[in-house]
Amino acid sequence: MPSAAAGSDVRPPFDLSAIPLPLHEQAIRLAIAAARSNPFFPFGAVIVRAADREVMATGVNNRSANPSFHGEIVAINDYVARHGNRAWEKVILYTTGEPCPMCMSTLVWTRVGGVVYGTSIEKLQQLGIEQILLPATAVIAAAPFYQGQVLGHVLDSETDALFANRQRL
């Protein structure tokens, strides 16, 4: 279920629940495809323009290059390189796993219009992937200025399997 910032009187840029589920699923599948390039940590992300569903950027976890290069951060960097640091409220970030507090905080600071994820932080931990147990909704609740929404568990059966069947180091 989408959630906007607690106490916010400003309407979000768009309503994630108004977007047909097949469109969310299509974008999550693109994130899954990106994630497959890292069989150990299959955190993939795509940034999609909400108005026309154009893929604006992609990213996959690359912590071997930099420990902060989670899939969402790599996608943000790709977006800025290709489109500049603007129009964040018009895009949705889709990711295979619920953004960690670092990534969700970055997405809040960008003012991204929305975030859609597959596997929850809780499930990632159950699957043996270390997590800071702070859900994306808690980060949003702590940022009353943020107007975006979060929608979780989209295609989580597929993303859960992706993480459960990953290669182990």
Side-chain angles (χ1 to χ4, degrees):
M1 173 155 217
S3 49
S8 176
D9 293 330
V10 182
R11 298 189 70 204
F14 43 82
D15 182 2
L16 289 178
S17 65
I19 297 170
L21 184 59
L23 294 178
H24 290 311
E25 291 174 343
Q26 181 181 32
I28 287 288
R29 285 197 173 99
L30 294 173
I32 289 169
R36 291 192 191 286
S37 69
N38 185 335
F40 298 100
F41 294 100
F43 292 89
V46 295
I47 297 175
V48 174
R49 188 167 44 217
D52 62 6
R53 308 303 295 169
E54 180 180 345
V55 176
M56 307 295 286
T58 61
V60 66
N61 184 297
N62 189 10
R63 71 181 205 170
S64 62
N66 180 319
S68 70
F69 283 176
H70 293 193
E72 298 93 336
I73 302 300
V74 174
I76 288 167
N77 288 332
D78 184 42
Y79 179 91
V80 171
R82 292 166 60 185
H83 308 286
N85 186 15
R86 58 186 167 74
W88 291 105
E89 71 284 354
K90 297 177 181 181
V91 300
I92 302 167
L93 182 131
Y94 291 87
T95 180
T96 55
E98 181 175 2
C100 73
M102 175 188 73
C103 292
M104 194 62 229
S105 295
T106 303
L107 291 163
V108 164
W109 286 119
T110 67
R111 310 293 205 280
V112 69
V115 175
V116 178
Y117 67 86
T119 301
S120 69
I121 285 175
E122 183 179 317
K123 183 66 173 184
L124 290 166
Q125 182 192 34
Q126 291 170 7
L127 293 170
I129 300 173
E130 293 176 335
Q131 294 294 302
I132 298 172
L133 301 178
L134 186 66
T137 54
V139 175
I140 289 174
F145 60 88
Y146 179 64
Q147 300 171 31
Q149 297 179 331
V150 172
L151 176 65
H153 307 285
V154 174
L155 289 181
D156 58 356
S157 62
E158 292 182 33
T159 58
D160 290 358
L162 181 70
F163 290 111
N165 297 319
R166 76 191 186 288
Q167 292 180 19
R168 306 300 200 265
L169 296 176

PDB file of all heavy atoms in Angstrom, residues 69-83:
ATOM      1  N   PHE A  69      27.745   1.778  -3.536  1.00  0.00           N
ATOM      2  CA  PHE A  69      27.126   1.601  -4.844  1.00  0.00           C
ATOM      3  C   PHE A  69      26.074   0.485  -4.817  1.00  0.00           C
ATOM      4  O   PHE A  69      26.213  -0.550  -5.458  1.00  0.00           O
ATOM      5  CB  PHE A  69      28.177   1.316  -5.916  1.00  0.00           C
ATOM      6  CG  PHE A  69      28.950   2.522  -6.375  1.00  0.00           C
ATOM      7  CD1 PHE A  69      29.973   2.374  -7.286  1.00  0.00           C
ATOM      8  CD2 PHE A  69      28.676   3.797  -5.902  1.00  0.00           C
ATOM      9  CE1 PHE A  69      30.706   3.471  -7.720  1.00  0.00           C
ATOM     10  CE2 PHE A  69      29.407   4.906  -6.323  1.00  0.00           C
ATOM     11  CZ  PHE A  69      30.425   4.737  -7.239  1.00  0.00           C
ATOM     12  N   HIS A  70      25.009   0.739  -4.070  1.00  0.00           N
ATOM     13  CA  HIS A  70      23.846  -0.143  -4.113  1.00  0.00           C
ATOM     14  C   HIS A  70      23.137   0.126  -5.435  1.00  0.00           C
ATOM     15  O   HIS A  70      23.367   1.150  -6.088  1.00  0.00           O
ATOM     16  CB  HIS A  70      22.920   0.149  -2.939  1.00  0.00           C
ATOM     17  CG  HIS A  70      23.510  -0.210  -1.615  1.00  0.00           C
ATOM     18  ND1 HIS A  70      22.758  -0.271  -0.463  1.00  0.00           N
ATOM     19  CD2 HIS A  70      24.771  -0.521  -1.240  1.00  0.00           C
ATOM     20  CE1 HIS A  70      23.519  -0.606   0.562  1.00  0.00           C
ATOM     21  NE2 HIS A  70      24.755  -0.759   0.111  1.00  0.00           N
ATOM     22  N   GLY A  71      22.266  -0.773  -5.858  1.00  0.00           N
ATOM     23  CA  GLY A  71      21.594  -0.629  -7.145  1.00  0.00           C
ATOM     24  C   GLY A  71      20.904   0.708  -7.316  1.00  0.00           C
ATOM     25  O   GLY A  71      20.975   1.330  -8.387  1.00  0.00           O
ATOM     26  N   GLU A  72      20.243   1.189  -6.264  1.00  0.00           N
ATOM     27  CA  GLU A  72      19.536   2.468  -6.349  1.00  0.00           C
ATOM     28  C   GLU A  72      20.508   3.631  -6.553  1.00  0.00           C
ATOM     29  O   GLU A  72      20.237   4.544  -7.339  1.00  0.00           O
ATOM     30  CB  GLU A  72      18.712   2.713  -5.076  1.00  0.00           C
ATOM     31  CG  GLU A  72      17.641   1.683  -4.826  1.00  0.00           C
ATOM     32  CD  GLU A  72      18.082   0.525  -3.939  1.00  0.00           C
ATOM     33  OE1 GLU A  72      19.300   0.239  -3.862  1.00  0.00           O
ATOM     34  OE2 GLU A  72      17.203  -0.113  -3.317  1.00  0.00           O
ATOM     35  N   ILE A  73      21.630   3.599  -5.855  1.00  0.00           N
ATOM     36  CA  ILE A  73      22.625   4.670  -5.963  1.00  0.00           C
ATOM     37  C   ILE A  73      23.238   4.675  -7.359  1.00  0.00           C
ATOM     38  O   ILE A  73      23.436   5.746  -7.964  1.00  0.00           O
ATOM     39  CB  ILE A  73      23.713   4.534  -4.874  1.00  0.00           C
ATOM     40  CG1 ILE A  73      23.089   4.556  -3.465  1.00  0.00           C
ATOM     41  CG2 ILE A  73      24.800   5.591  -5.042  1.00  0.00           C
ATOM     42  CD1 ILE A  73      22.316   5.814  -3.116  1.00  0.00           C
ATOM     43  N   VAL A  74      23.533   3.496  -7.895  1.00  0.00           N
ATOM     44  CA  VAL A  74      24.084   3.409  -9.251  1.00  0.00           C
ATOM     45  C   VAL A  74      23.067   3.945 -10.260  1.00  0.00           C
ATOM     46  O   VAL A  74      23.425   4.683 -11.184  1.00  0.00           O
ATOM     47  CB  VAL A  74      24.519   1.965  -9.575  1.00  0.00           C
ATOM     48  CG1 VAL A  74      24.964   1.832 -11.026  1.00  0.00           C
ATOM     49  CG2 VAL A  74      25.644   1.517  -8.624  1.00  0.00           C
ATOM     50  N   ALA A  75      21.785   3.622 -10.067  1.00  0.00           N
ATOM     51  CA  ALA A  75      20.742   4.134 -10.963  1.00  0.00           C
ATOM     52  C   ALA A  75      20.630   5.657 -10.857  1.00  0.00           C
ATOM     53  O   ALA A  75      20.472   6.341 -11.870  1.00  0.00           O
ATOM     54  CB  ALA A  75      19.399   3.471 -10.660  1.00  0.00           C
ATOM     55  N   ILE A  76      20.705   6.193  -9.648  1.00  0.00           N
ATOM     56  CA  ILE A  76      20.672   7.645  -9.461  1.00  0.00           C
ATOM     57  C   ILE A  76      21.840   8.295 -10.195  1.00  0.00           C
ATOM     58  O   ILE A  76      21.671   9.294 -10.902  1.00  0.00           O
ATOM     59  CB  ILE A  76      20.690   8.009  -7.958  1.00  0.00           C
ATOM     60  CG1 ILE A  76      19.346   7.662  -7.319  1.00  0.00           C
ATOM     61  CG2 ILE A  76      21.041   9.477  -7.743  1.00  0.00           C
ATOM     62  CD1 ILE A  76      19.362   7.699  -5.792  1.00  0.00           C
ATOM     63  N   ASN A  77      23.041   7.736 -10.047  1.00  0.00           N
ATOM     64  CA  ASN A  77      24.216   8.284 -10.737  1.00  0.00           C
ATOM     65  C   ASN A  77      24.053   8.204 -12.255  1.00  0.00           C
ATOM     66  O   ASN A  77      24.438   9.136 -12.978  1.00  0.00           O
ATOM     67  CB  ASN A  77      25.484   7.576 -10.279  1.00  0.00           C
ATOM     68  CG  ASN A  77      25.884   7.963  -8.877  1.00  0.00           C
ATOM     69  OD1 ASN A  77      25.593   9.062  -8.409  1.00  0.00           O
ATOM     70  ND2 ASN A  77      26.546   7.063  -8.178  1.00  0.00           N
ATOM     71  N   ASP A  78      23.478   7.106 -12.743  1.00  0.00           N
ATOM     72  CA  ASP A  78      23.239   6.960 -14.180  1.00  0.00           C
ATOM     73  C   ASP A  78      22.235   8.012 -14.657  1.00  0.00           C
ATOM     74  O   ASP A  78      22.433   8.638 -15.706  1.00  0.00           O
ATOM     75  CB  ASP A  78      22.737   5.544 -14.479  1.00  0.00           C
ATOM     76  CG  ASP A  78      22.564   5.283 -15.964  1.00  0.00           C
ATOM     77  OD1 ASP A  78      23.419   5.696 -16.767  1.00  0.00           O
ATOM     78  OD2 ASP A  78      21.549   4.633 -16.324  1.00  0.00           O
ATOM     79  N   TYR A  79      21.195   8.229 -13.880  1.00  0.00           N
ATOM     80  CA  TYR A  79      20.185   9.237 -14.233  1.00  0.00           C
ATOM     81  C   TYR A  79      20.818  10.628 -14.322  1.00  0.00           C
ATOM     82  O   TYR A  79      20.593  11.350 -15.304  1.00  0.00           O
ATOM     83  CB  TYR A  79      19.055   9.226 -13.202  1.00  0.00           C
ATOM     84  CG  TYR A  79      17.977  10.250 -13.480  1.00  0.00           C
ATOM     85  CD1 TYR A  79      16.868   9.922 -14.254  1.00  0.00           C
ATOM     86  CD2 TYR A  79      18.058  11.537 -12.974  1.00  0.00           C
ATOM     87  CE1 TYR A  79      15.873  10.856 -14.518  1.00  0.00           C
ATOM     88  CE2 TYR A  79      17.069  12.476 -13.231  1.00  0.00           C
ATOM     89  CZ  TYR A  79      15.983  12.127 -13.999  1.00  0.00           C
ATOM     90  OH  TYR A  79      15.008  13.059 -14.258  1.00  0.00           O
ATOM     91  N   VAL A  80      21.594  11.003 -13.321  1.00  0.00           N
ATOM     92  CA  VAL A  80      22.226  12.334 -13.319  1.00  0.00           C
ATOM     93  C   VAL A  80      23.171  12.472 -14.509  1.00  0.00           C
ATOM     94  O   VAL A  80      23.191  13.513 -15.176  1.00  0.00           O
ATOM     95  CB  VAL A  80      22.952  12.603 -11.981  1.00  0.00           C
ATOM     96  CG1 VAL A  80      23.795  13.865 -12.051  1.00  0.00           C
ATOM     97  CG2 VAL A  80      21.938  12.697 -10.845  1.00  0.00           C
ATOM     98  N   ALA A  81      23.942  11.422 -14.815  1.00  0.00           N
ATOM     99  CA  ALA A  81      24.871  11.484 -15.943  1.00  0.00           C
ATOM    100  C   ALA A  81      24.137  11.663 -17.271  1.00  0.00           C
ATOM    101  O   ALA A  81      24.619  12.369 -18.159  1.00  0.00           O
ATOM    102  CB  ALA A  81      25.726  10.218 -15.982  1.00  0.00           C
ATOM    103  N   ARG A  82      22.957  11.073 -17.393  1.00  0.00           N
ATOM    104  CA  ARG A  82      22.223  11.107 -18.652  1.00  0.00           C
ATOM    105  C   ARG A  82      21.235  12.266 -18.766  1.00  0.00           C
ATOM    106  O   ARG A  82      20.971  12.741 -19.872  1.00  0.00           O
ATOM    107  CB  ARG A  82      21.481   9.780 -18.842  1.00  0.00           C
ATOM    108  CG  ARG A  82      22.449   8.625 -19.064  1.00  0.00           C
ATOM    109  CD  ARG A  82      21.807   7.267 -18.917  1.00  0.00           C
ATOM    110  NE  ARG A  82      20.735   7.063 -19.866  1.00  0.00           N
ATOM    111  CZ  ARG A  82      19.963   5.987 -19.859  1.00  0.00           C
ATOM    112  NH1 ARG A  82      20.131   5.047 -18.955  1.00  0.00           N
ATOM    113  NH2 ARG A  82      18.994   5.862 -20.736  1.00  0.00           N
ATOM    114  N   HIS A  83      20.685  12.720 -17.614  1.00  0.00           N
ATOM    115  CA  HIS A  83      19.585  13.690 -17.662  1.00  0.00           C
ATOM    116  C   HIS A  83      19.791  14.901 -16.757  1.00  0.00           C
ATOM    117  O   HIS A  83      18.933  15.785 -16.719  1.00  0.00           O
ATOM    118  CB  HIS A  83      18.265  13.009 -17.285  1.00  0.00           C
ATOM    119  CG  HIS A  83      18.000  11.782 -18.080  1.00  0.00           C
ATOM    120  ND1 HIS A  83      17.608  11.822 -19.406  1.00  0.00           N
ATOM    121  CD2 HIS A  83      18.115  10.467 -17.757  1.00  0.00           C
ATOM    122  CE1 HIS A  83      17.473  10.584 -19.856  1.00  0.00           C
ATOM    123  NE2 HIS A  83      17.774   9.745 -18.881  1.00  0.00           N
TER     124      HIS A  83
END
